[in-house]
């Protein structure tokens, strides 16, 4: 559990949630592993209350499952759940692209280009963490510029389910998403081509649905 570290005593519930979620997504807490509020509270330097609140949120989001008075454990990686999450997240990214592309400025496009350069470098170096961070940074530009808070919240809720499978597949020797697809998306954004940006975004997320099927 290398990603579980003490957190400052501000926004304790959210910080506990983020720390535990990130450990689950990274595989530091493996699928099927039991989690205990007292143990994690001690590791995080918190009381049990914010950890219990974090557990409730993670159960709601599908990363934990719980049986009262019995267990709380990390859910298995289920291909169908990942496929469903990818379809929903992809639809939200398509919506964000449709709204954001006409609003993008040159600086926004340059942020996307820089993120894709980091992405490609990370993929070449086999650095999955850096690749996924750069991928998030690239797509987050469109989400941010779109200004759609509901889309952003939906993406934040369901993306961790997808990331777990991505990390697992990359660890088995799979490939990261194509930097070439990102380049096509960036060029569409730079040209103000909404239809192409939405089309490429859909292609990217269909690839993740295929990942869930083992393609």
């Amino acid at each position: 559990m290398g990603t579980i570290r003490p957190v400052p005593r501000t926004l304790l519930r959210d910080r506990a949630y983020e720390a535990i979620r990130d450990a689950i997504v990274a595989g530091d807490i493996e699928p099927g592993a039991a989690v205990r509020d007292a143990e994690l509270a001690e590791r995080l330097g918190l009381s049990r209350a914010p950890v219990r609140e974090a557990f409730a949120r993670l159960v709601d989001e599908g990363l934990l499952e719980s049986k009262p008075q019995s267990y709380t454990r990390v859910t298995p990686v289920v291909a169908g759940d990942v496929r469903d999450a990818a379809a929903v997240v992809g639809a939200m990214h398509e919506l964000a692209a449709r709204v954001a592309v006409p609003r993008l400025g040159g600086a926004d496009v340059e942020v996307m280009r820089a993120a894709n350069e980091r992405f490609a470098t990370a993929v070449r170096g086999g650095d999955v963490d850096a690749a996924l961070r750069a991928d998030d940074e690239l797509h987050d530009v469109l989400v941010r510029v779109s200004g759609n808070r509901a889309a952003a919240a939906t993406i934040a809720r369901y993306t961790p389910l997808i990331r777990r499978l991505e990390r697992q597949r990359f660890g088995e020797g799979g490939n990261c998403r194509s930097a070439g697809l990102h380049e096509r998306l960036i060029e569409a954004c730079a040209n103000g081509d909404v239809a192409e940006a939405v089309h490429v975004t859909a292609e990217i997320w269909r690839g993740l649905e295929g990942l869930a099927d083992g393609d």
Side-chain angles (χ1 to χ4, degrees), residues 1-80:
M1 298 186 188
T3 56
I4 297 288
R5 300 184 179 89
V7 297
R9 292 185 176 275
T10 56
L11 303 174
L12 298 182
R13 175 183 59 193
D14 292 341
R15 298 297 294 275
Y17 161 79
E18 291 169 2
I20 299 166
R21 178 203 62 196
D22 290 349
I24 292 170
V25 171
D28 290 336
I29 309 177
E30 297 181 350
V35 292
R36 298 173 178 83
D37 55 6
E39 177 185 345
L40 287 176
E42 182 177 359
R43 294 181 68 88
L44 291 167
L46 300 173
S47 68
R48 293 168 72 174
V51 173
R52 286 173 178 167
E53 292 181 59
F55 279 7
R57 184 173 172 184
L58 290 162
V59 167
D60 184 55
E61 295 181 359
L63 291 174
L64 292 178
E65 56 187 3
S66 181
K67 181 178 180 180
Q69 309 303 319
S70 182
Y71 61 79
T72 301
R73 63 192 180 199
V74 179
T75 56
V77 179
V78 178

Side-chain angles (χ1 to χ4, degrees), residues 147-215:
N148 190 317
R149 295 175 63 184
T154 302
I155 289 167
R157 173 170 179 162
Y158 290 106
T159 295
L161 289 172
I162 303 165
R163 291 305 196 210
R164 283 207 297 169
L165 182 62
E166 285 187 285
R167 287 174 180 275
Q168 184 182 90
R169 291 290 167 85
F170 300 158
E172 295 168 353
N175 294 320
C176 254
R177 282 185 242 177
S178 168
L181 281 174
H182 286 162
E183 289 173 2
R184 285 174 52 198
L185 174 60
I186 292 166
E187 288 311 305
C189 290
N191 294 330
D193 189 337
V194 175
E196 176 65 6
V198 172
H199 174 76
V200 176
T201 298
E203 188 173 346
I204 289 169
W205 289 93
R206 277 198 303 271
L208 282 176
E209 291 183 56
L211 183 69
D213 294 325
D215 292 349

